[in-house]
Amino acid sequence: MPLIKTNGIQLHYEERGSGISSEETPLLLIMGITAPGSVWNVHLADWQHHFRCIIGDNRGVGLSDKPLGPYSSEQMADDYAGLLDAIQVEKVRVVGCSMGSTIAQQLAIRHPDKVQSLVLMCPWARCDNYAKSLFQHIMNCKARFRPEEFSLYIQLLIFSKSTWDNTEKHEELGIGRKQDSANPFPQPLHGLEGQAAACINHNALADLGKIDKPTLVIGGRQDIFTPVWMAREVANGIPESELFLYENLGHAFHFENTSDFNPRVRNWLLDN
């Protein structure tokens, strides 16, 4: 479980898989707000058999440093650029989820030579006033709720009605809340506040046209956290990007329909 000094912090990362061949471009996975890199495990179960996967804990969470914020999406992109330099990886495919998608956008804008292709999950190019207030409310809840209560609030934001109505998946959500309440490495409030500032202040709309890499934008039509207009705005801003929207699924579409999502993204990445 190595730590790499990059951009003024110690960034925790790990690698899984080796790819189809030594020439295969590695895959960098960047997770969203509150989430450590281990949240990728359900997807790594598939992707590690096809790619050399590089998974980081974003600044502010997991085993990476958690300096006082605010953070920015540009700063966090530079964290990963430094990581790639440190482990001598010249170019990566990138999958970014939610806040991770904003970091991925900035990585492609600020360090284009390091990016081969992009998958942007539930992304946004900018926040409107509603989204800014939502991130502020997440900070307020983190400051006041017990861990399992905060976990429930996040679940209500990211999972669709179809998941809450499914008996088996509903039970899994309860198990997830219990696990979150016993997390040995809980995210401190200042870490979440730093990440939330990066989410609120991210505005790459004017620069999306500079991204000339193959890009797949994926969203859920029932996403109440980062609504479909946000995904469409990103897709419309990146030349020749592709947009796919899951019917009846929310922000966590990748957990709600993993059996479709994993091979869909894997096959797209293998072609790009």
Side-chain angles (χ1 to χ4, degrees):
M1 299 295 183
L3 289 168
I4 287 290
K5 185 75 171 180
T6 172
N7 201 25
I9 64 164
Q10 294 284 341
L11 186 75
H12 172 261
Y13 80 101
E14 62 175 306
E15 297 194 38
R16 303 266 194 94
S18 57
I20 296 172
S21 72
S22 59
E23 291 78 29
E24 191 73 27
T25 303
L27 176 60
L28 175 65
L29 304 175
I30 310 177
M31 192 32 79
I33 190 170
T34 78
S38 60
V39 175
W40 287 110
N41 283 346
V42 69
H43 311 305
L44 285 165
D46 179 321
W47 299 344
Q48 68 185 356
H49 299 294
H50 303 274
F51 307 100
R52 174 189 173 189
C53 300
I54 303 166
I55 312 102
D57 287 343
N58 296 319
R59 70 163 62 211
V61 78
L63 299 180
S64 291
D65 282 351
K66 306 167 188 68
L68 292 174
Y71 311 156
S72 71
S73 56
E74 294 94 335
Q75 178 187 44
M76 298 171 87
D78 291 349
D79 291 346
Y80 282 101
L83 169 64
L84 297 178
D85 287 342
I87 62 175
Q88 298 182 325
V89 170
E90 292 185 3
K91 191 182 290 283
V92 286
R93 300 172 167 100
V94 186
V95 180
C97 180
S98 194
M99 181 184 75
S101 80
T102 71
I103 299 169
Q105 291 166 46
Q106 296 289 7
L107 189 64
I109 292 165
R110 296 168 66 82
H111 306 277
D113 292 343
K114 296 184 183 299
V115 175
Q116 175 172 306
S117 58
L118 292 165
V119 177
L120 303 177
M121 302 162 55
C122 36
W124 64 95
R126 61 182 175 92
C127 282
D128 61 359
N129 289 333
Y130 181 87
K132 292 176 181 178
S133 295
L134 186 54
F135 282 116
Q136 181 61 55
H137 190 58
I138 289 173
M139 290 187 273
N140 296 344
C141 291
K142 175 72 172 177
R144 292 164 174 81
F145 287 180
R146 296 194 300 269
E148 61 272 25
E149 294 172 335
F150 182 69
S151 179
L152 173 59
Y153 175 61
I154 296 299
Q155 289 177 343
L156 288 165
L157 282 180
I158 69 175
F159 288 99
S160 67
K161 175 176 167 56
S162 62
T163 289
W164 289 97
D165 288 346
N166 181 292
T167 301
E168 181 179 351
K169 291 183 177 180
H170 183 251
E171 291 176 356
E172 291 174 358
L173 292 177
I175 293 171
R177 293 194 295 275
K178 290 181 181 179
Q179 291 173 339
D180 287 342
S181 70
N183 182 358
F185 303 105
Q187 184 180 34
L189 177 60
H190 74 266
L192 183 138
E193 288 173 338
Q195 292 187 345
C199 293
I200 289 169
N201 295 317
H202 174 72
N203 191 336
L205 188 61
D207 291 323
L208 291 180
K210 299 176 182 177
I211 299 176
D212 60 355
K213 315 298 181 182
T215 301
L216 174 62
V217 176
I218 308 183
R221 290 191 183 274
Q222 302 305 312
D223 190 344
I224 62 172
F225 188 4
T226 57
V228 168
W229 73 262
M230 289 180 158
R232 291 191 187 278
E233 189 167 72
V234 171
N236 290 337
I238 299 176
E240 300 184 24
S241 66
E242 302 174 42
L243 175 64
F244 179 81
L245 298 172
Y246 280 99
E247 301 290 339
N248 301 316
L249 300 185
H251 193 75
F253 55 80
H254 49 111
F255 295 135
E256 296 182 301
N257 193 354
T258 306
S259 61
D260 179 90
F261 174 80
N262 280 358
R264 179 181 298 276
V265 171
R266 176 228 307 154
N267 292 332
W268 188 89
L269 288 167
L270 289 172
D271 289 336
N272 294 277

